[in-house]
Amino acid sequence: MRALDAIGHALAVAGSMTWEITWSLILGFTLSAVVQAVIRRQTIVRLLGDDRPRTLARATGLGAASSSCSYAAVALARALFRRGASFTAAMTFEIASTNLVIELGIIMALLLSWQFTLAEFTGGPIMIVLVAVAFRLFVRGKLIEAARQQADRGLAGSMEGHAAMDMSIQAEGSFRRRLLSREGYTSVSHIFVMEWAAVIRDVVIGLLIAGAVGAWVPDTFWQHLFLTGHPLAAKLWGPLIGPVISVLSFVCSIGNVPLAAVLWNGGISFGGVVAFIFADLIIIPILVIYRKYYGTRMMLTILGIFYAAMVLAGYAVEFAFGGLGLIPAERTARVAEAGITWNYTTILNIVFLLLAAVLLIRFFRSGGRAMLTMMGGSPEDGHGH
C-alpha cells in the first residue's frame, strides 16, 4: 500500500503541474506555428552563410522564431549546415530554437516566476556569444571540414523527417493575406500538431520525473547537494551541477522546466536553474546524435564548449540579477496544487483546448496523418511538405 500511495502522490504532483501549464503550452505552440508558417526554410539557409556577428544575430532571431524540440533542432541545425550555413550559425540557430522560444518563457513564468523567464532570455544571448567566441578561438577549419564530411554521410539521428519538412506558406502576398488564407490555416495546423508530436514524449517524461522527484526525494537531500548552508558556495556550485543533473535526467526541451521547479524549491541557485535549462542540448541521447552527425572529436568539442558557456551564462545571470535585486526571495515554484478549481487556469485551459481541437481537426482533414508517419524517417522522406 505504501508503494501505491507513493506512486499516487507522484502522479498527483505530475497531474497538477500538467493542468497548470496546459494552456500556456498551447498558446506558445500556436504563436510559434504562426511565425514558422510565414518564414520559409530557404530564407533561413540564405541568411546563415558565415559567422559574422550580424549573421549570428539573424541566426538567433530565426532560431527563436523556429521553435523546435531539442531533437528536431539538432537535426535541423545539421540540415542547415549541409545546405551551406556556417557551423557556428547552425549551432546558434539550434541554441535559440530550444532556449529562446515563446512557450518556454511562458511555462517558466507560470511554474517558476517572471524573473526566471527574464533570466532565460538574458542568459541565452550570453551563452550564444560565448559559444561563438569559443568556436572562433578554439575550433579549427580542419575540424569543421571533417564535421561537414561526416554530416554529408547523412546518418540518421532522431526527428530527421520532421526537421526536413518545410510546412511554411508558399503563396505570395502580404503577411496578413497569407496567414488568413486556407493555405495559412492548414500550414499553422500542420506545424502546431507536428511540434506537439515532437515534444510530447519529453514533456510527459519531464512531468513524470518531476512528479516523482517532488514526491519522493526529501528536501534535505537537495539542501546537502546544493550547499544551501553556504550562500557563496551555493551560487558557485549551482551553475556547475545544474547541467550535470540535466545531462543525467535525459529530459530535454520544455520537459525539463517542471524538474527545474522542483530543483529550485530544493535549494539550487538561481543561476543553477538557468544553466540546468540550457543543458537540454547536451543530454546523453543528443550527444550520441552529435557523434553520428559530426564525429567523436566534434561531439566532445560541442560538449565542452556548450557546458562551459552554460556555466558562465549561469554565473552571469546569478550575479547580475542578484546585484539588481531580481532573484526571488521565496522558493515557491508551483509544483503541486490542491486540485482543479474554477479559476483563470481552468477557463484558459478550456479556451485553448478548444483551439487545439480546431487545429487538430484541420490537421487530419488536410492530410496530416501521412506526415506523422514520416516524423522519424530519413531526411529525404520529409521533402516537399
Side-chain angles (χ1 to χ4, degrees):
M1 288 299 295
R2 286 185 178 180
L4 291 177
D5 289 342
I7 292 172
H9 186 198
L11 291 174
V13 173
S16 175
M17 285 189 285
T18 303
W19 185 249
E20 287 295 318
I21 66 176
T22 295
W23 71 267
S24 64
L25 287 176
I26 296 172
L27 171 61
F29 280 115
T30 302
L31 294 175
S32 174
V34 168
V35 173
Q36 291 184 66
V38 297
I39 298 179
R40 293 169 182 153
R41 186 68 55 80
Q42 58 265 37
T43 301
I44 297 175
V45 176
R46 189 174 66 249
L47 295 173
L48 305 184
D50 55 63
D51 59 357
R52 293 179 299 176
R54 186 175 180 180
T55 302
L56 298 183
R58 288 193 193 122
T60 301
L62 291 169
S66 302
S67 168
S68 295
C69 79
S70 300
Y71 292 100
V74 170
L76 179 52
R78 182 181 69 162
L80 296 175
F81 179 50
R82 293 180 68 187
R83 295 177 194 175
S86 77
F87 189 78
T88 304
M91 292 296 102
T92 298
F93 182 94
E94 176 184 300
I95 294 168
S97 67
T98 60
N99 290 301
L100 296 176
V101 295
I102 298 168
E103 55 269 30
L104 179 66
I106 295 174
I107 192 175
M108 288 182 71
L110 279 177
L111 288 186
L112 291 157
S113 69
W114 64 267
Q115 291 95 326
F116 284 94
T117 300
L118 182 59
E120 180 76 9
F121 284 88
T122 301
I126 293 173
M127 178 182 169
I128 287 170
V129 170
L130 292 171
V131 166
V133 170
F135 273 113
R136 176 69 66 88
L137 294 177
F138 304 117
V139 180
R140 298 292 177 256
K142 189 175 181 179
L143 179 57
I144 292 178
E145 184 56 34
R148 188 179 297 279
Q149 291 176 7
Q150 178 70 16
D152 286 338
R153 294 179 62 191
L155 298 180
S158 180
M159 295 293 172
E160 291 289 338
H162 181 48
M165 295 178 188
D166 186 355
M167 295 170 279
S168 61
I169 303 167
Q170 299 302 311
E172 300 296 333
S174 66
F175 171 86
R176 183 173 179 275
R177 183 175 181 179
R178 293 165 65 205
L179 189 61
L180 296 180
S181 66
R182 288 180 62 84
E183 184 186 358
Y185 180 23
T186 300
S187 179
V188 169
S189 72
H190 283 188
I191 297 169
F192 175 83
V193 176
M194 295 296 285
E195 290 294 322
W196 262 106
V199 304
I200 190 66
R201 175 186 63 182
D202 286 306
V203 171
V204 171
I205 292 174
L207 287 165
L208 290 175
I209 291 176
V213 171
W216 300 341
V217 179
D219 290 341
T220 52
F221 172 82
W222 297 122
Q223 290 165 3
H224 283 96
L225 178 63
F226 298 136
L227 308 178
T228 56
H230 309 276
L232 179 58
K235 291 178 181 179
L236 296 175
W237 177 238
L240 290 170
I241 192 63
V244 175
I245 296 173
S246 183
V247 169
L248 297 177
S249 74
F250 281 63
V251 182
C252 63
S253 193
I254 299 170
N256 62 5
V257 178
L259 182 53
V262 173
L263 298 180
W264 172 245
N265 283 351
I268 194 171
S269 69
F270 186 79
V273 171
V274 174
F276 169 84
I277 292 173
F278 285 152
D280 62 336
L281 289 173
I282 56 170
I283 63 172
I284 292 174
I286 286 183
L287 292 177
V288 173
I289 293 173
Y290 285 143
R291 184 174 180 273
K292 286 184 180 180
Y293 283 0
Y294 308 120
T296 302
R297 284 187 63 201
M298 183 57 88
M299 179 272 287
L300 293 174
T301 300
I302 292 172
L303 172 60
I305 288 176
F306 276 24
Y307 176 76
M310 291 163 189
V311 171
L312 293 175
Y315 286 146
V317 297
E318 176 73 48
F319 292 104
F321 278 57
L324 295 171
L326 292 177
I327 297 179
E330 302 294 330
R331 295 179 179 269
T332 55
R334 300 175 73 170
V335 173
E337 299 289 336
I340 298 175
T341 58
W342 186 254
N343 54 17
Y344 82 93
T345 298
T346 301
I347 295 171
L348 288 172
N349 278 341
I350 292 172
V351 170
F352 282 98
L353 284 169
L354 290 173
L355 172 62
V358 169
L359 293 173
L360 192 64
I361 291 169
R362 180 62 178 176
F363 174 82
F364 283 107
R365 285 184 175 177
S366 55
R369 189 184 302 276
M371 297 173 67
L372 285 173
T373 65
M374 289 185 269
M375 280 192 66
S378 69
E380 290 73 20
D381 294 337
H383 287 315
H385 291 274

